[in-house]
Amino acid sequence: NNASIYVMGSSDSNKTDEDRSLSASLIRSHGKQALIGLSTFGVGPRTAARILRKLHPDESSFYMDLIEAQKLFIKNKKYWKL
């Protein structure tokens, strides 16, 4: 079983595998809203999951949360080492 093999030093690849798995799970459970969230600039799977977990009384509050997450990403990305 290849799934049980652990490779040292592959934390980045494991992280991207986790992100892919989370993205797939979000799309399965939330459908179109997950696709919209994941396609928003600066919104990754973890942020999309956090936004999708919130109860949005209407569609506009969902979009406002996405815009706020995008603005936060743009504001903070200059401090990151990529």
Side-chain angles (χ1 to χ4, degrees):
N1 184 345
N2 289 339
S4 64
I5 296 173
Y6 176 74
V7 179
M8 290 183 57
S10 65
S11 62
D12 287 342
S13 99
N14 287 340
K15 193 174 191 179
T16 57
D17 288 345
E18 289 172 15
D19 286 349
R20 282 189 212 106
S21 177
L22 180 56
S23 294
S25 176
L26 290 173
I27 293 167
R28 255 192 318 273
S29 59
H30 295 279
K32 181 181 174 184
Q33 280 192 319
L35 288 171
I36 292 168
L38 291 167
S39 66
T40 303
F41 177 73
V43 175
R46 291 183 206 104
T47 304
R50 180 178 48 79
I51 292 170
L52 289 165
R53 272 194 305 266
K54 288 177 63 176
L55 181 61
H56 296 96
D58 55 7
E59 199 174 6
S60 65
S61 66
F62 169 68
Y63 289 114
M64 289 304 296
D65 281 346
L66 287 175
I67 291 169
E68 288 303 315
Q70 185 178 49
K71 286 179 0 185
L72 186 63
F73 171 79
I74 292 168
K75 181 177 117 181
N76 293 321
K77 80 173 187 175
K78 62 185 168 191
Y79 300 111
W80 299 351
K81 297 216 185 231
L82 297 176

